[in-house]
Amino acid sequence: MTGAGGLDRALMRAGGWVLALVWMAPLIYALWSAFHPSAYEARFVLTAPLTLDNFATAWGKAPFARYFLNTILLVTMVLAVQLVLCTMAAFAFARLEFPGKGVLFALVLVQLLILPDILLVENYATMFRLGLVDTILAIGLPYFASGFAIFLLRQTFRTIPRELDEAARVEGCSLLGLMWRVYVPLGRPAMLAFGLVSVSHHWNNFLWPLVITNSVETRPLTVGLSVFATTDSGIEWAVINAATLMTSAPLLLGFLLFQRQFVQSFLRAGIK
Amino acid sequence: MPKREWIHAWLLLLPAFVFLIAFTHLPAVQTLIDSFWSTPKGRRPAVFVGGDNYARMLADPILAKALWNSAVYAALTIPASVVLALAMALLVQARFAGVALMRMAFFTPTVLPLIAVANIWLFFYAPGFGLIDQIRGLFGLPSVNLAGQPETALYAVAAVTVWKEAGFFMVFYLAALQAVPPALREAAAIEGCGRWTFFRRVTLPLIMPTTLFVTVNATINAFRLVDHVFVMTRGGPDNATMLLLYYVFENGFRYWDTAYAAALTILLVAILTVVGLGQFFAADRRVHYR
């Protein structure tokens, strides 16, 4: 009985490793071709010489430094504004009583369903009227008030004991002081979780930035990469793969270093 | 005294609502209005056309194709990614040598940009020298252009989606499995209940809320995840991978037919709303949070 169970388990595990290998295969393949001369991109011999030329070629053929800067500016700006706006709103929803609370909260939840990505035609028209087409600000604007962040932080703030409010009031804390000194520090794990999700989402976001940008000075990495990879100038696969790895590297490294936090954050952000 | 609290609350909400209204609510309403008007062209302003854009949708063969594709894409990616996610979670919930590596292998696609991995997959699928063709070559099979022929292109795109999202959903199943009380397992073992029976009769019903949550997310993704289409197929060949959101993009920003794109957006929003309401009612009946 136990013998059969053990065999069962061993088979399952072997299947698991096959699945894991399939899951890693695209990345392994990309790593192989990016670090070897293009002659070896489809020939797998262990003696193939290693090279960084593909990265150098990719870096030289497109303004990746600028794309990196644009993406970093974008994700920093979006996250900073999101945290400020959504903390304020979440605090109001979690702790204050006021007329219209239910309706306003429902309006926030609408955004969980109708994501800004879907309204791209109309948002483009808005940016056009504001004269903001082809700016980094325009990429970020639709995401500044995140319904998801408001929802997540509200849930967290509601778990903070009310006695702390009373204590802070007795100490003479104002409402903003209460939010800043009590709620923000206690909500930090949730903010960190949201931060990781937000940064990876905006680092990876593509459709809206593609629509709203059309110059090197504003394009984020994802759009820059797609422009680079689809120009039919006969760029070698090895170079495209090098560029691909380059653009994903910061997130990938961050994930490998802080795996637990990443997984926890995605989990937290999803379940609430 | 309560009046001051009201004002404070409204002031705290004001900045967030300015952005919410400007970039979600107003555009949504404006999209609905625009869908009843024609596209302004040059010096010709938009005119009210009633339901013309919607009538055009009924007669649009590419839209029919896109809707069919979206349905197939959803029917492929939703069950595949949910079942794989559960299988992955069951695999890595135990402790064994290398479990961290296995878990990492499953989760890594989640943090990679879809647009970037699309390049890698395209290389994977490339006829002749791509890995899949090389493996086929070992078995003496002819070369195929998986992402480039109408028969298989949609499957090639769907495979990338499943690969991308299964590891993400796995995390939720892992959390759910950890919440299954160990006492139940012991009790079942005493009753002589097999592992498979236990899984089917106890584990599966207990993790039902997670399955619902993951399924809804997979459904939303099936209409939202189109980034890789831009790199891999651009909706082709012969509209074989034309998905609804990609079609909105094409009409809005390639043909600049914004009125028709608005009507298509309304269709997309309607589909997502039905999904959302479905979640709401299903959640009400059989899921108890916390």
Side-chain angles (χ1 to χ4, degrees):
Chain A
M1 188 61 195
T2 41
L7 182 69
D8 214 33
R9 190 155 301 173
L11 275 177
M12 287 253 295
R13 207 148 286 167
W17 282 114
V18 172
L19 191 63
L21 186 69
V22 171
W23 241 243
M24 285 306 273
L27 203 56
I28 295 169
Y29 198 31
L31 282 168
W32 171 274
S33 74
F35 283 102
H36 290 102
S38 57
Y40 292 92
E41 68 188 16
R43 274 174 54 213
F44 306 103
V45 282
L46 287 175
T47 54
L50 289 167
T51 173
L52 288 172
D53 285 357
N54 297 319
F55 290 90
T57 312
W59 191 265
K61 274 196 177 167
F64 278 109
R66 181 73 215 203
Y67 295 157
F68 263 103
L69 178 68
N70 293 342
T71 291
I72 289 167
L73 285 175
L74 172 71
V75 297
T76 317
M77 171 184 75
V78 169
L79 181 60
V81 180
Q82 278 177 336
L83 283 178
V84 173
L85 293 188
C86 301
T87 301
M88 285 163 58
F91 177 71
F93 280 126
R95 273 304 178 251
L96 301 176
E97 291 306 326
F98 53 92
K101 190 175 174 180
V103 177
L104 290 176
F105 193 62
L107 283 175
V108 169
L109 294 184
V110 165
Q111 206 211 28
L112 296 184
L113 202 62
I114 307 177
L115 304 149
D117 306 336
I118 291 167
L119 299 168
L120 31 96
V121 178
E122 203 51 53
N123 277 337
Y124 183 90
T126 308
M127 296 305 169
F128 186 79
R129 282 193 292 270
L130 294 172
L132 287 174
V133 172
D134 201 24
T135 59
I136 295 179
L137 180 63
I139 313 176
L141 271 177
Y143 301 97
F144 279 175
S146 161
F148 171 58
I150 296 174
F151 184 66
L152 182 71
L153 290 174
R154 168 186 169 266
Q155 298 291 91
T156 310
F157 288 165
R158 276 159 62 117
T159 62
I160 293 170
R162 287 233 178 214
E163 289 76 46
L164 289 175
D165 290 31
E166 308 299 328
R169 289 274 169 94
V170 170
E171 296 283 322
C173 223
S174 68
L175 198 63
L176 281 178
L178 173 71
M179 185 176 87
W180 182 247
R181 299 229 173 78
V182 178
Y183 282 77
V184 170
L186 289 174
R188 202 169 285 160
M191 289 184 188
L192 180 75
F194 173 74
L196 280 179
V197 173
S198 168
V199 167
S200 30
H201 182 255
H202 290 285
W203 192 286
N204 296 345
N205 200 15
F206 173 71
L207 191 51
W208 171 244
L210 171 77
V211 165
I212 200 71
T213 63
N214 51 37
S215 64
V216 169
E217 285 70 34
T218 55
R219 253 178 224 144
L221 275 170
T222 45
V223 181
L225 177 69
S226 81
V227 169
F228 176 70
T230 48
T231 43
D232 293 315
S233 51
I235 300 170
E236 284 152 339
W237 276 107
V239 176
I240 291 181
N241 278 335
T244 299
L245 287 176
M246 214 156 60
T247 54
S248 332
L251 272 192
L252 194 57
L253 289 178
F255 164 63
L256 293 180
L257 289 174
F258 304 104
Q259 238 192 97
R260 185 168 290 274
Q261 285 87 336
F262 257 90
V263 172
Q264 287 295 332
S265 300
F266 276 85
L267 183 62
R268 239 193 126 92
I271 277 188
K272 286 285 166 76
Chain B
M1 193 55 190
K3 285 276 191 198
R4 241 177 79 187
E5 185 174 328
W6 297 0
I7 291 165
H8 283 153
W10 289 330
L11 283 177
L12 283 168
L13 290 175
L14 184 68
F17 267 85
V18 167
F19 288 100
L20 266 178
I21 290 170
F23 299 106
T24 300
H25 302 114
L26 276 185
V29 173
Q30 191 62 45
T31 303
L32 183 63
I33 295 170
D34 283 358
S35 72
F36 295 109
W37 291 70
S38 71
T39 302
K41 282 190 185 108
R43 265 172 291 163
R44 232 176 330 138
V47 291
F48 184 78
V49 293
D52 278 11
N53 289 316
Y54 293 95
R56 187 177 145 197
M57 273 165 46
L58 290 177
D60 181 353
I62 302 178
L63 175 64
K65 180 83 179 157
L67 282 176
W68 171 250
N69 286 343
S70 287
V72 173
Y73 183 70
L76 287 171
T77 59
I78 298 166
S81 53
V82 172
V83 170
L84 272 171
L86 179 56
M88 287 170 173
L90 289 170
L91 279 165
V92 300
Q93 67 159 342
R95 283 169 189 273
F96 57 91
V99 66
L101 181 68
M102 195 187 274
R103 197 182 300 150
M104 189 195 78
F106 293 150
F107 189 75
T108 302
T110 303
V111 294
L112 298 175
L114 188 52
I115 192 84
V117 296
N119 279 321
I120 303 177
W121 275 86
L122 200 57
F123 180 47
F124 225 56
Y125 287 140
F129 60 89
L131 191 66
I132 291 175
D133 247 18
Q134 290 203 40
I135 292 170
R136 285 173 63 91
L138 293 180
F139 295 98
L141 292 163
S143 164
V144 285
N145 189 356
L146 287 167
Q149 59 184 19
E151 296 79 26
T152 54
L154 189 58
Y155 301 107
V157 170
V160 179
T161 310
V162 173
W163 177 79
K164 169 85 180 157
E165 64 183 7
F168 177 54
F169 296 151
M170 168 192 81
V171 175
F172 299 102
Y173 272 127
L174 264 178
L177 288 174
Q178 270 160 19
V180 175
L184 285 179
R185 199 174 295 271
E186 286 154 28
I190 292 167
E191 296 284 326
C193 162
R195 276 205 298 158
W196 170 241
T197 317
F198 179 78
F199 173 73
R200 208 163 41 94
R201 304 297 289 271
V202 181
T203 312
L204 216 48
L206 278 177
I207 59 175
M208 198 57 204
T210 307
T211 303
L212 178 71
F213 169 80
V214 163
T215 308
V216 169
N217 269 281
T219 314
I220 294 174
N221 278 352
F223 291 97
R224 203 174 57 92
L225 287 185
V226 296
D227 292 2
H228 49 328
V229 174
F230 283 82
V231 166
M232 295 179 69
T233 60
R234 297 174 159 257
D238 195 19
N239 296 322
T241 55
M242 184 63 76
L243 298 172
L244 190 50
L245 183 55
Y246 191 84
Y247 194 47
V248 172
F249 167 83
E250 281 232 308
N251 277 285
F253 298 99
R254 194 154 295 158
Y255 314 136
W256 294 100
D257 190 349
T258 48
Y260 193 48
L264 290 169
T265 306
I266 294 299
L267 176 64
L268 185 55
V269 169
I271 293 173
L272 287 175
T273 306
V274 170
V275 173
L277 289 179
Q279 173 194 28
F280 187 76
F281 287 118
D284 242 16
R285 272 201 288 124
R286 49 198 312 187
V287 181
H288 31 272
Y289 285 108
R290 277 180 297 267

